[in-house]
Coordinates of all heavy atoms in Angstrom, one line a residue:
K827 N 5.5 -6.7 4.6 CA 6.1 -6.0 3.6 C 4.9 -5.6 2.5 O 4.2 -6.5 2.1 CB 7.0 -6.8 2.9 CG 8.2 -7.2 3.9 CD 9.3 -8.0 3.2 CE 10.3 -8.6 4.2 NZ 11.0 -7.6 4.9
A855 N -1.3 11.1 -8.8 CA -2.3 10.2 -8.8 C -1.9 8.7 -8.8 O -2.6 7.8 -9.1 CB -3.3 10.4 -9.8
V865 N 7.1 8.8 2.9 CA 6.4 8.1 1.8 C 7.5 7.5 0.9 O 8.4 8.2 0.5 CB 5.5 9.1 1.2 CG1 4.8 8.5 -0.1 CG2 4.5 9.7 2.2
I896 N -1.9 -3.6 -5.3 CA -1.4 -3.7 -4.0 C -0.9 -5.0 -3.7 O -1.6 -6.0 -3.9 CB -2.3 -3.2 -3.0 CG1 -2.9 -1.8 -3.2 CG2 -1.8 -3.4 -1.5 CD1 -4.1 -1.4 -2.3

Side-chain angles (χ1 to χ4, degrees):
K827 299 180 186 301
V865 178
I896 299 171

